[in-house]
Amino acid sequence: MIKIGLTGSMGMGKTTTGKVFEKLGCAVWDADKTTHKLYSKGGKAVTAVAKLFPSSVENGSISRSKLKTLLRNDPDKLRDLETAVHPLVLEDRQNFQNNTKKEIVVFDIPLLFEIGADKDMHKTVCVFTSYENQLERLMNRSHGSEQYFKELLSKQMPSNEKCERSDYVIETSTLTSVEKRVKEILKDIETQKHA
């Protein structure tokens, strides 16, 4: 099994790129989707998060918007939240890895380098696009202000640094360019495997 870590800042095109990898026969695990699942009613993280943030619970699931507000007011609690949720996310990732039959598995992890998950991967891929494209995508997706997104992005490793640390980079301004680049990467990995 070849493990590829897929990363990039928000609004850079990770989800779209992940879908292209999937279309081309790879298994794709998505950290954000996993967190959503863990926070949903009956999800494994609900009890742990509810202990830390009782007011974030809504109809048996964790309200991400309430959680964001609570964390904004008390940023020191983020470490506690990560301590509670990260092991559950990791467990889900390992289960996915153990149960897939695909030869190439792509792990879509926004904070790949920040949490050190790159060390578990054979190859790393970073997606990027222009700041204008990124901002437009973020605004269309969640209608926040530019200031709000700048604040969020300032908490992540700068995009250029992620790109420098990655084995491959994918410019995501068009779907065609993404598909072309993913094919090149898979071909390169295939070639290295037989080298």
Side-chain angles (χ1 to χ4, degrees), residues 58-77:
E58 206 170 69
N59 304 323
S61 63
I62 301 299
S63 159
R64 286 172 78 118
S65 56
K66 281 186 179 176
L67 197 55
K68 275 180 193 157
T69 307
L70 292 163
L71 286 170
R72 201 177 297 145
N73 298 336
D74 192 355
D76 296 340
K77 280 265 179 83

Side-chain angles (χ1 to χ4, degrees), residues 15-180:
T15 306
T16 303
T17 305
K19 283 179 184 157
V20 174
F21 272 108
E22 203 163 28
K23 195 172 94 176
L24 295 170
C26 303
V28 178
W29 179 86
D30 183 322
D32 284 343
K33 276 190 187 148
T34 299
T35 306
H36 273 288
K37 188 173 73 184
L38 292 169
Y39 283 179
S40 301
K41 197 169 187 165
K44 285 186 175 179
V46 175
T47 312
V49 178
K51 274 186 192 144
L52 294 168
F53 303 98
S55 61
S56 69
V57 182
E58 206 170 69
N59 304 323
S61 63
I62 301 299
S63 159
R64 286 172 78 118
S65 56
K66 281 186 179 176
L67 197 55
K68 275 180 193 157
T69 307
L70 292 163
L71 286 170
R72 201 177 297 145
N73 298 336
D74 192 355
D76 296 340
K77 280 265 179 83
L78 182 61
R79 178 84 50 230
D80 299 337
L81 178 69
E82 287 171 347
T83 305
V85 177
H86 277 176
L88 298 171
V89 174
L90 185 62
E91 181 190 6
D92 190 273
R93 190 173 100 202
Q94 283 164 339
N95 287 342
F96 181 87
Q97 185 179 309
N98 297 340
N99 293 310
T100 184
K101 303 281 182 274
K102 301 279 186 182
E103 190 171 344
I104 296 178
V105 185
V106 177
F107 296 93
D108 175 345
I109 306 175
L111 301 176
L112 182 77
F113 294 113
E114 290 90 333
I115 64 169
D118 56 306
K119 294 173 189 68
D120 301 333
M121 304 297 153
H122 297 106
K123 294 288 175 191
T124 51
V125 175
C126 184
V127 294
F128 77 97
T129 190
S130 67
Y131 178 68
E132 291 71 30
N133 270 350
Q134 180 187 28
L135 192 61
E136 189 180 322
R137 289 172 186 174
L138 290 173
M139 302 283 245
N140 288 340
R141 199 162 71 195
S142 43
H143 308 292
S145 67
E146 183 170 358
Q147 189 51 48
Y148 170 68
F149 292 123
K150 276 185 174 165
E151 198 178 300
L152 279 182
L153 291 168
S154 72
K155 293 181 172 71
Q156 296 187 346
M157 183 185 288
S159 190
N160 59 339
E161 197 179 321
K162 286 186 183 197
C163 286
E164 280 164 22
R165 290 178 64 171
S166 297
D167 297 303
Y168 303 99
V169 292
I170 300 177
E171 205 288 311
T172 64
S173 52
T174 69
L175 186 56
T176 314
S177 66
V178 172
E179 287 179 344
K180 182 172 178 279

